[in-house]
Amino acid sequence: MSETETEAKRARKCVSCGINISGTTAAAFKCPDCGHQIYRCSKCRKQSNLYECPDCGFRGP
């Protein structure tokens, strides 16, 4: 694994609450508008907390 890939894994944070989601049961999906990879923790998914894509500003539940 390259250094960039390792840094990306360490930097995985829930887009809704900001917690580090490495090693958790988080969801990873692409933004419906721009395709940016988004991560959400199980708590935010369960509570249907809103999220905003950091690249394009798309908002979803």
Side-chain angles (χ1 to χ4, degrees), residues 1-11:
M1 204 180 300
S2 73
E3 187 174 323
T4 306
E5 289 172 350
T6 304
E7 287 176 23
K9 279 192 171 193
R10 281 184 287 190

Side-chain angles (χ1 to χ4, degrees), residues 30-43:
K30 300 217 183 268
C31 172
D33 277 358
C34 71
H36 179 80
Q37 188 72 22
I38 293 175
Y39 300 99
R40 295 187 75 209
C41 71
S42 59
K43 183 178 178 181

Side-chain angles (χ1 to χ4, degrees), residues 13-28:
K13 296 191 184 290
C14 174
V15 74
S16 297
C17 69
I19 68 164
N20 185 339
I21 55 99
S22 294
T24 65
T25 57

